[in-house]
């Protein structure tokens, strides 16, 4: 294979994985929404709904506000799925089978998810409208409080492997998964993941009290890219969670990729369910909680994991 | 063209995105629109293809309706279910509006029109407002920027967000904006002029109520009927529980719990004498998950006297054991005692209303054929109703004091928790 063919295949693979993952997220969301609402599960709608929504967005004209930052707006909608793609390339689906199993994979994942704050801010800022702007500022206010514990527990997950390569982190769980070895890790990671994907209780930037926040002025393809980008980010968070805490591809009988897909699906189901059961947080109270509870607990997680390694 | 046809076919099989603008007398349409899977009610007109106008569009609502219409993206159409309202005003402005008759199936009609829009059998509506700047600015000022300077000036014809001392004396950017009368999280018809610094409300003023002259024309409900003469307690208590569940659905939606909101709204529609356990179960779920309590505890605590003057669930959530039903012989036979909370915050108010919804269904189930007595005052779902008005109307006048200094999210939580009704306000 030439380098160009390899690059094309890698892009195709990541895009396919993300589209499938995002579709699965939307289907899961429809089913869990029906179950929570106590209405019969509309399977047809759950399965076809994501495609119907996408088609509607394609047919809808993009909204134009007065004097928007057009370049910024377009860039924000493209940046989010791109960051999700960058986050998943480091995750191996089988031993040695990752698009980029780089030595510092966790750092790359952390950098990509940290940049979500840029995408969200740009998305809110560029509309030149009040409620999107407030949504953007809200995310800035939240970001640090979720990213610190999110990355700390990932660092703790890397300690037993003594490596930042995601493949090594998975291999180090051959005897026992990190979810058992570091019981604090996965719950804190999932709370941080909700923030990184600005989903459910941490959807402060696209909130209903702001008539949709950064999405309030968006329609058409912009809305499609943004909502699917958010679903892709949830997939990336779930896939990394499955690798860092649930042993990634490892499992009996079934092939590695199937195990990874099942574990990712399980975490996705938890994340989506949290979105339907927990009310959106009050920003000030959550930030206090993050700095007084989540960050100290994630530091304890790091110290205990370090002690175990020693 | 082939691809477009395939996309249109695919999209028309899904729910039609609708932005509802419910005018006077159309409150009941909200439940119809939200509970039907053929429609999806959206938060912003940008995401809608159908502008659904219901009831009477009063003079004060006309301009906001036009503004919302022009904000929608193409393809778009306006559907109006005027109910009993006069139809000329809106037709003059929107010549292309589709008028629905009272006997029409509202949802089916909206879905049909959406299908026609997507398949190009119906033309997308043009904008109503003229294609010119809201305030002229071009070629004005030394650089043609519309005014003088930047910060503090008027580029693009409007004052920019400029700096002013905040409530703590810091110099911060301030932003003036008007929200309402159709801002989804706010009570329908409430128009607020707010001055924001960051997302903190520095000042809030309640603007003219667009529903101010409609009260006498609105269809009566069982609570108003009780003012005129005895009504069955079963009927009035089920209506109270339905009201509280409908309010709960709106509150849950604002807090990001759309599926639970649907559950509350469906419960409100299907409520029967056997529904007490279902309502209690929903309340227990909200308590167990703790998220809602966490988001609302300590928010929107009113001055004790203000809460007391409001009567109803707002007063009882602040510890006042006041209830017009205590004076009613029919309720005394049922050994009625009011439910009371003590914190007086937004959390106490939703707990109060869920408890009152459960109590309402239980009272209705025990009421048999008992009727309310002939009294001067009736305990409505929002507070005491009298022949000359309702005590909770005082809350609208208190809003500037209540909202000042609150962050936007807390302000919305507070406003929702008060269950204001602009149609019933002067």
């Amino acid at each position: 294979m030439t380098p160009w063919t390899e690059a094309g295949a890698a892009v195709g693979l990541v895009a396919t994985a993300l589209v499938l993952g995002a579709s699965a997220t939307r289907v899961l969301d429809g089913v869990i929404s029906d179950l929570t609402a106590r209405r019969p599960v509309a399977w047809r709608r759950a399965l076809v709904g994501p495609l119907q929504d996408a088609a509607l967005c394609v047919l809808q004209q993009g909204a134009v506000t007065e004097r928007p930052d057009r370049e910024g707006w377009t860039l924000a909608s493209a940046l989010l799925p791109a960051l999700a793609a960058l986050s998943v390339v480091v995750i191996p689906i089988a031993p040695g089978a990752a698009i980029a199993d780089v030595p510092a994979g966790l750092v790359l994942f952390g950098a990509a998810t940290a940049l979500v704050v840029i995408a969200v801010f740009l998305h809110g800022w560029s509309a030149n409208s009040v409620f999107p702007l407030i949504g953007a500022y809200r995310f800035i206010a939240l970001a640090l409080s979720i990213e610190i514990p999110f990355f700390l527990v990932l660092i703790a997950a890397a300690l037993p492997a003594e490596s930042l390569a995601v493949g090594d982190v998975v291999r180090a769980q051959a005897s026992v998964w990190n979810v058992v070895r570091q019981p604090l890790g996965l719950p804190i990671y999932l709370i941080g993941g909700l923030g990184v994907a600005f989903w459910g209780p941490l959807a402060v930037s696209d909130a209903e009290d702001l008539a949709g926040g950064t999405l309030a002025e968006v329609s058409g393809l912009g809305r499609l890219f943004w909502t699917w980008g958010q679903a892709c980010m949830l997939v990336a968070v779930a896939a990394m969670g499955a690798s860092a805490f649930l042993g990634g591809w490892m499992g009996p009988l079934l092939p590695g990729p199937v195990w990874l897909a099942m574990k990712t699906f399980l975490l996705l189901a938890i994340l989506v369910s949290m979105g339907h059961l927990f009310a959106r947080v009050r920003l000030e109270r959550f930030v206090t909680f993050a700095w007084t509870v989540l960050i100290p607990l994630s530091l304890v997680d790091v110290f205990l994991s370090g002690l175990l390694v020693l | 063209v082939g691809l477009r046809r395939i996309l249109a076919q695919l999209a028309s099989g899904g729910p039609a995105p609708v932005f509802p603008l419910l005018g006077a007398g159309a409150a009941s349409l909200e439940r119809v629109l939200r509970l039907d899977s053929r429609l999806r009610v959206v938060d912003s007109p940008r995401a809608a293809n159908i502008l659904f106008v219901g009831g009477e569009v009063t003079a004060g609502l006309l301009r906001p309706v036009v503004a919302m219409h022009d904000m929608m993206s193409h393809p778009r159409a306006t559907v109006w279910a005027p109910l009993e309202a006069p139809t000329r005003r809106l037709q003059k402005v929107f010549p292309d509006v589709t008028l629905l008759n009272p006997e029409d199936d509202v949802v089916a009609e909206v879905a049909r029109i959406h299908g026609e829009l997507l398949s190009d059998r119906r033309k997308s509506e043009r904008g109503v407002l003229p294609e010119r700047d809201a305030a002229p600015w071009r070629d004005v000022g030394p650089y043609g920027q519309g005014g003088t300077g930047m910060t503090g000036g008027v580029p693009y014809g409007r004052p920019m967000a400029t700096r002013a001392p905040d409530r703590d004396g810091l110099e911060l950017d301030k932003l003036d904006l008007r929200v309402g009368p159709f801002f989804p999280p706010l009570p329908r018809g409430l128009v607020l002029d707010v001055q924001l610094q960051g997302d903190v409300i520095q000042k809030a003023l309640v603007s003219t109520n667009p529903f101010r002259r409609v009260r006498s024309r609105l269809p009566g409900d069982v609570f108003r009927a009780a003012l005129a003469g005895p009504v069955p307690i079963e009927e009035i208590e089920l209506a109270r529980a339905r009201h509280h569940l409908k309010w709960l659905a709106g509150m849950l939606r604002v807090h990001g719990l759309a599926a639970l909101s649907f559950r509350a709204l469906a419960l409100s529609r299907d409520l029967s004498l056997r529904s007490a356990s279902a309502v209690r179960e929903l309340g227990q779920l909200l308590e167990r998950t703790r998220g809602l309590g966490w988001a609302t505890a300590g928010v929107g605590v009113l001055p004790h006297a203000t809460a007391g003057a409001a009567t109803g669930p707002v007063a009882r959530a602040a510890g006042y054991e006041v209830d017009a039903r205590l004076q009613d012989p029919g309720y005394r036979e049922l050994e009625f005692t009011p439910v009371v909370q003590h914190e007086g915050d937004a959390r106490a108010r939703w707990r109060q209303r869920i408890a009152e919804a459960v109590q309402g269904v239980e009272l209705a189930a025990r009421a048999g054929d008992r009727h309310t007595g002939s009294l001067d005052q009736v305990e409505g779902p929002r507070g005491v109703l009298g022949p000359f008005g309702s005590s909770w109307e005082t809350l609208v006048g208190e809003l500037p004091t209540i909202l000042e200094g609150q962050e936007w999210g807390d302000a919305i939580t507070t406003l929702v928790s008060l269950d204001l009704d602009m149609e019933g306000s002067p």
Side-chain angles (χ1 to χ4, degrees):
Chain A
M1 267 210 257
T2 67
W4 283 108
T5 327
E6 269 184 22
V11 169
L13 208 63
V14 171
T16 309
L18 280 180
V19 168
L20 286 177
S23 305
T25 309
R26 303 296 298 269
V27 171
L28 204 54
D29 187 41
V31 172
I32 291 174
S33 171
D34 285 346
L35 292 173
T36 314
R38 289 268 172 93
R39 58 191 167 209
V41 176
W43 286 103
R44 190 180 172 278
R45 192 177 154 197
L47 292 169
V48 189
L51 279 177
Q52 290 172 330
D53 289 351
L56 191 65
C57 285
V58 173
L59 292 173
Q60 206 177 42
Q61 192 187 62
V64 183
T65 54
E66 196 179 30
R67 308 288 293 177
D69 180 344
R70 284 172 196 272
E71 293 80 7
W73 224 356
T74 312
L75 180 63
S77 297
L79 185 58
L80 193 61
L83 290 173
L86 201 58
S87 308
V88 296
V89 293
V90 297
I91 300 169
I93 55 170
I99 302 288
D101 195 6
V102 291
L106 280 180
V107 177
L108 186 63
F109 175 83
T113 48
L115 285 175
V116 168
V117 70
I118 304 293
V120 174
F121 186 77
L122 205 55
H123 199 237
W125 167 267
S126 305
N128 194 20
S129 178
V130 175
F131 293 117
L133 184 64
I134 295 178
Y137 277 121
R138 273 189 185 176
F139 198 71
I140 294 278
L142 175 75
L144 200 59
S145 314
I146 50 162
E147 282 168 2
I148 292 175
F150 185 69
F151 298 140
L152 281 175
V153 292
L154 273 182
I155 290 169
L159 284 176
E162 298 182 31
S163 163
L164 289 168
V166 185
D168 293 341
V169 173
V170 176
R171 270 185 284 273
Q173 298 174 74
S175 55
V176 57
W177 291 357
N178 279 340
V179 68
V180 179
R181 196 157 40 192
Q182 304 170 359
L184 287 171
L186 187 58
I188 295 176
Y189 175 83
L190 289 178
I191 294 173
L194 286 173
V196 165
F198 47 100
W199 178 262
L202 294 180
V204 293
S205 54
D206 292 359
E208 289 78 1
D209 63 342
L210 296 173
T214 76
L215 257 180
E217 299 281 8
V218 185
S219 62
L221 280 175
R223 184 169 277 267
L224 178 66
F225 268 79
W226 191 252
T227 49
W228 280 69
Q230 186 187 31
C232 290
M233 197 46 82
L234 270 176
V235 174
V237 167
M240 179 54 87
S243 300
F245 296 98
L246 300 179
W249 68 74
M250 286 190 285
L253 302 173
L254 297 170
V258 177
W259 274 112
L260 180 66
M262 288 198 313
K263 291 170 186 176
T264 303
F265 195 75
L266 171 72
L267 291 187
L268 266 179
I270 294 173
L271 288 167
V272 170
S273 303
M274 285 166 90
H276 287 292
L277 290 174
F278 294 97
R280 193 182 54 257
V281 298
R282 197 172 160 225
L283 197 55
E284 189 187 330
R285 199 159 286 167
F286 181 80
V287 169
T288 309
F289 170 74
W291 284 90
T292 54
V293 179
L294 283 185
I295 294 177
L297 279 182
S298 49
L299 284 169
V300 169
D301 187 46
V302 173
F303 292 140
L304 289 180
S305 308
L307 275 178
L308 282 176
V309 172
L310 291 174
Chain B
V1 174
L3 179 64
R4 199 192 139 75
R5 195 180 304 134
I6 293 168
L7 287 173
Q9 258 178 0
L10 190 58
S12 56
V18 174
F19 190 75
L21 303 178
L22 301 181
S28 60
L29 281 176
E30 187 177 0
R31 192 160 57 195
V32 175
L33 299 177
R34 287 193 183 273
L35 287 181
D36 200 298
S37 61
R38 289 170 289 176
L39 308 184
R40 186 175 62 233
V41 174
V42 293
D43 282 337
S44 158
R46 299 288 192 196
N49 289 131
I50 303 283
L51 187 71
F52 182 88
V53 186
E56 180 184 345
V57 179
T58 62
L61 294 178
L62 192 58
R63 196 170 170 79
V65 168
V66 172
M68 294 289 128
H69 173 269
D70 283 11
M71 279 179 76
M72 286 203 306
S73 307
H74 293 284
R76 63 190 177 194
T78 310
V79 179
W80 186 22
L83 305 176
E84 301 298 324
T87 55
R88 273 170 306 173
R89 185 178 281 139
L90 198 69
Q91 268 185 314
K92 262 194 221 164
V93 182
F94 294 108
D96 301 330
V97 69
T98 304
L99 268 177
L100 300 185
N101 296 313
E103 65 273 14
D104 283 341
D105 178 345
V106 168
V107 176
E109 284 300 303
V110 170
R112 179 183 64 77
I113 290 165
H114 186 240
E116 288 178 3
L117 261 186
L118 293 179
S119 59
D120 281 340
R121 279 177 286 146
R122 175 184 286 259
K123 271 191 176 173
S124 179
E125 289 173 12
R126 285 170 300 164
V128 175
L129 293 170
E131 283 289 331
R132 61 168 188 260
D133 299 314
W137 61 272
R138 288 169 207 275
D139 301 326
V140 178
Y143 306 101
Q145 83 275 36
T148 50
M150 288 299 286
T151 305
V154 283
Y156 307 115
R158 273 150 295 170
M160 282 189 74
T162 186
R163 287 209 265 182
D166 79 342
R167 291 154 46 81
D168 302 323
L170 299 168
E171 283 278 324
L172 293 173
D173 284 351
K174 78 175 174 71
L175 194 60
D176 293 292
L177 79 150
R178 167 168 282 202
V179 281
F182 294 121
F183 185 62
L186 291 189
R188 214 159 40 90
L190 179 64
V191 184
L192 288 174
D193 288 310
V194 293
Q195 190 183 89
L196 289 172
Q197 280 183 316
D199 70 344
V200 176
I201 295 178
Q202 299 296 339
K203 266 188 203 160
L205 288 173
V206 180
S207 189
T208 313
N209 177 9
F211 291 135
R212 68 189 178 284
R213 293 201 189 95
V214 304
R215 182 156 57 177
S216 58
R217 300 201 296 276
L218 291 178
D221 58 12
V222 65
F223 301 101
R224 298 230 164 258
L227 270 177
V231 295
I233 288 182
E234 178 186 322
E235 189 184 343
I236 203 169
E237 286 307 315
L238 282 180
R240 186 186 316 282
R242 277 193 197 100
H243 175 96
H244 288 327
L245 286 168
K246 194 174 166 213
W247 170 86
L248 180 68
M251 192 270 291
L252 293 173
R253 194 164 50 244
V254 170
H255 285 279
L257 297 169
L260 289 174
S261 163
F262 182 96
R263 184 164 151 186
L265 202 57
L267 252 178
S268 143
R269 179 193 58 192
D270 305 329
L271 199 74
S272 72
L273 297 176
R274 293 181 299 280
S275 301
S277 59
V279 181
R280 197 179 287 115
E281 209 179 308
L282 177 58
Q284 283 165 349
L285 176 65
L286 295 174
E287 291 284 357
R288 272 203 305 271
T289 53
R290 294 185 181 275
L292 189 64
W294 210 40
T296 50
V299 179
V301 180
L302 303 183
H304 202 55
T306 308
T311 72
V314 171
R316 288 190 287 276
Y320 286 93
E321 208 170 326
V322 287
D323 197 309
R325 288 175 286 181
L326 285 168
Q327 317 304 323
D328 192 312
Y331 281 94
R332 271 198 232 123
E333 282 177 29
L334 291 168
E335 295 176 348
F336 166 77
T337 48
V339 187
V340 173
Q341 316 282 323
H342 295 284
E343 297 84 354
D345 56 7
R347 179 176 63 178
R349 281 176 218 130
W350 65 256
R351 284 177 169 172
Q352 177 70 28
R353 290 195 180 96
I354 291 175
E356 288 196 14
V358 174
Q359 187 187 41
V361 179
E362 287 173 346
L363 281 171
R366 289 195 289 122
D369 58 356
R370 287 185 184 85
H371 282 59
T372 57
S374 299
L375 298 165
D376 290 343
Q377 293 188 326
V378 168
E379 185 68 30
R382 296 187 173 93
V384 173
L385 297 171
F388 304 108
S390 329
S391 52
W392 45 266
E393 286 164 14
T394 54
L395 286 173
V396 178
E398 297 288 337
L399 284 182
T401 323
I402 294 170
L403 298 179
E404 204 173 287
Q406 292 208 42
E407 287 182 10
W408 183 261
D410 287 353
I412 296 292
T413 299
T414 306
L415 276 166
V416 172
S417 75
L418 297 177
D419 189 16
L420 302 172
D421 172 28
M422 303 309 288
E423 274 184 307
S425 296

